[in-house]
Amino acid sequence: MIKEAIILAGGLGTRLRDTISGPKCMAPVAGQPFLFHVINYLRSQGIQRFIFALGYQHELIEDWLAAQFPTLDYECSVEEEPLGTGGAIKLACEKAGEENVLVTNGDTIFKIDIAQMEAMHHTNAAEATLALKPLQNFDRYGVVETDDNGLVLNFREKQFCEQGNINGGTYLLNLMSFLGNEWPPVFSFEKDYLESKRFRLFGSVQNGYFIDIGIPEDYARAQTELAGTPIDIKNIDKSWTLFIDRDGVINHEKSGGYILNWREFRFYDGVKDAFKRLNEVFGKIIIVTNQRGVGKGLMTEPDLDSIHQHMFKQIQNAGGRIDKVYYCTSIEKDHPDRKPNPGMAFHAREDFPSIDLSRSIVIGNKPSDMLFGRNAGMHTVYVATTHPETPFPHPDIDLRFDSLAEFAKAL
């Protein structure tokens, strides 16, 4: 599985100069820089390591990455002078460690099936595989022509087209092949590589969501479309996963302390019965909980496991089920598994490959739970059990309920 990505984030955003200042990828969209949405989408698809190809105002992006993503596995490749798209990719590729790397733009989101693209790439021994987006009635993009097997035959210049497949700006690139060529210091990836007809290229046609914020009209459209897709909870099926925080959602929190044993654990009214309904709707039920009481030495992991075993039994006796509990005992804020960092979600996806984080909901009672969901590419549901003062609408919250039981009743 592809686990490494290069994000081209050195663009100036010339066509957006009247709308934004600074690098194009940092343009604010739905309360966050656009790059935030790009990173979290790719993380939700299994990308674990990032290389950011930077140029213009790179310090601004580097400072933001360090503050926003302290646990992200990433490296920056910085152009000291403009190298063209080809030179920027080549410089970044020299920091990559996988056989094949995903390359995409920091001002574009194309929600592709990476596994499908990778299968085509390997089956055809491609030097590069392009994600192609079918469009109708357009003149902003050129068309990529392929044969019936997906072999790229030709790139047509921009002109009005009733229908065709465009280059979506996302590539799967074989590093040995690409770096094995003699390239000038400055070159165009599109003209000098893709369109040179010297390489074995294939196109994977994908009809997923596509947004390119390069022009003001699409930048404005992104504000609405990336604000969070409304969840139609009446249409959730077994392909969906529910992630649930524990304290303050399933059971009452302990004021000023931690639940240290089963005697201190008290279910909220209606929660045990709610799990029966939740299991009828969702395919998987996962608990994700920070448990710093262990890290502080106030309790042991066996103590925590004992609490969870009693919790499982009570819920099971009421007709419900929990598939697994993930917990983080670290007291360090930058630990990758401590919410709002998304590590526990990624562990769950590794253990249950059927989990699609874009078809998952996290339900919690704190802003950190909501940011955990956003960082993992999930939908979010806030329960106002302990912090009813949290404002709503809120950019990190999709839906709000008074309790887990009320959420279950609404399904």
Side-chain angles (χ1 to χ4, degrees):
M1 184 176 178
I2 300 299
K3 297 184 181 297
E4 193 170 41
I6 292 170
I7 298 182
L8 304 175
L12 279 68
T14 305
R15 289 175 293 181
L16 296 178
R17 281 291 171 84
D18 293 337
T19 308
I20 67 167
S21 61
K24 183 165 47 172
C25 68
M26 296 298 288
V29 172
Q32 292 282 1
F34 187 78
L35 187 57
F36 174 89
H37 302 283
V38 176
I39 293 169
N40 284 338
Y41 169 68
L42 291 174
R43 288 208 294 185
S44 77
Q45 299 306 299
I47 298 299
Q48 297 178 2
R49 183 172 187 272
F50 292 81
I51 300 166
F52 296 95
L54 307 180
Y56 175 65
Q57 291 191 0
H58 61 89
E59 299 92 348
L60 187 154
I61 300 174
E62 290 174 301
D63 290 346
W64 175 78
L65 286 169
Q68 182 71 50
F69 293 101
T71 65
L72 188 70
D73 183 1
Y74 75 91
E75 193 170 355
C76 293
S77 169
V78 179
E79 301 173 70
E80 298 301 330
E81 56 186 27
L83 300 176
T85 52
I89 291 174
K90 177 179 178 292
L91 190 65
C93 281
E94 292 170 354
K95 296 181 178 294
E98 300 288 328
E99 179 183 355
N100 296 286
V101 64
L102 191 77
V103 180
T104 192
N105 292 306
D107 60 355
T108 301
I109 291 178
F110 190 3
K111 294 189 174 182
I112 62 171
D113 184 334
I114 295 177
Q116 176 185 320
M117 190 173 176
E118 184 180 13
M120 169 176 273
H121 187 73
H122 287 302
T123 298
N124 294 288
E127 293 176 274
T129 299
L130 293 66
L132 306 181
K133 170 69 176 177
L135 292 182
Q136 296 180 334
N137 300 318
F138 62 94
D139 58 11
R140 183 179 162 192
Y141 306 97
V143 170
V144 182
E145 297 177 340
T146 60
D147 68 12
D148 291 341
N149 296 316
L151 180 68
V152 173
L153 302 175
N154 190 38
F155 291 83
R156 284 169 33 199
E157 294 292 330
K158 297 178 184 179
Q159 57 182 305
F160 177 78
C161 187
E162 290 187 357
Q163 61 180 20
N165 297 323
I166 70 163
N167 178 358
T170 298
Y171 317 99
L172 198 52
L173 192 61
N174 181 279
L175 286 177
M176 183 177 294
S177 169
F178 181 68
L179 293 177
N181 290 272
E182 291 290 334
W183 297 108
V186 179
F187 69 102
S188 165
F189 184 75
E190 295 78 12
K191 295 294 183 183
D192 299 322
Y193 179 75
L194 296 179
E195 299 178 23
S196 69
K197 298 188 176 180
R198 295 192 293 126
F199 303 99
R200 185 173 172 81
L201 311 180
F202 282 78
S204 173
V205 178
Q206 307 240 4
N207 203 21
Y209 174 79
F210 178 83
I211 185 75
D212 174 354
I213 63 166
I215 61 174
E217 294 82 358
D218 285 346
Y219 174 60
R221 180 164 63 90
Q223 302 293 341
T224 300
E225 295 179 350
L226 295 181
T229 305
I231 313 169
D232 185 353
I233 59 176
K234 296 297 185 182
N235 286 330
I236 291 173
D237 58 29
K238 289 290 187 178
S239 68
W240 284 68
T241 299
L242 181 63
F243 290 80
I244 308 176
D245 177 45
R246 199 193 80 179
D247 301 327
V249 180
I250 295 174
N251 59 284
H252 290 268
E253 287 187 335
K254 182 179 177 181
S255 178
Y258 304 95
I259 305 297
L260 302 179
N261 54 62
W262 178 245
R263 294 186 302 277
E264 297 180 340
F265 189 100
R266 294 186 300 121
F267 282 103
Y268 277 113
D269 291 342
V271 162
K272 287 186 284 186
D273 291 334
F275 269 90
K276 181 178 181 180
R277 177 59 181 156
L278 297 175
N279 288 132
E280 291 171 350
V281 175
F282 290 90
K284 291 280 187 298
I285 305 289
I286 305 292
I287 308 301
V288 283
T289 175
N290 288 344
Q291 291 294 328
R292 288 181 294 166
V294 176
K296 291 182 176 182
L298 302 175
M299 61 189 300
T300 65
E301 287 199 56
D303 293 334
L304 184 61
D305 290 339
S306 176
I307 293 172
H308 289 156
Q309 290 305 316
H310 281 90
M311 181 180 72
F312 290 165
K313 186 174 181 179
Q314 294 268 344
I315 289 172
Q316 191 173 24
N317 288 343
R321 185 195 76 254
I322 294 172
D323 290 286
K324 193 163 182 178
V325 172
Y326 295 87
Y327 57 84
C328 180
T329 63
S330 176
I331 61 174
E332 302 297 330
K333 291 183 178 181
D334 61 354
H335 191 285
D337 293 344
R338 183 179 167 187
K339 292 181 289 183
N341 299 316
M344 287 188 283
F346 299 149
H347 291 314
R349 186 180 55 199
E350 291 172 2
D351 293 339
F352 301 98
S354 64
I355 289 178
D356 178 352
L357 293 175
S358 67
R359 298 175 71 83
S360 297
I361 294 172
V362 62
I363 184 165
N365 66 313
K366 294 184 177 70
S368 61
D369 298 316
M370 302 296 96
L371 189 53
F372 162 82
R374 286 288 186 256
N375 286 338
M378 301 185 205
H379 300 278
T380 60
V381 172
Y382 188 81
V383 291
T385 48
T386 59
H387 298 281
E389 74 281 0
T390 299
F392 183 76
H394 186 284
D396 292 333
I397 302 173
D398 294 324
L399 294 174
R400 183 184 188 274
F401 290 88
D402 290 336
S403 66
L404 181 61
E406 291 301 315
F407 171 70
K409 288 178 184 177
L411 294 170

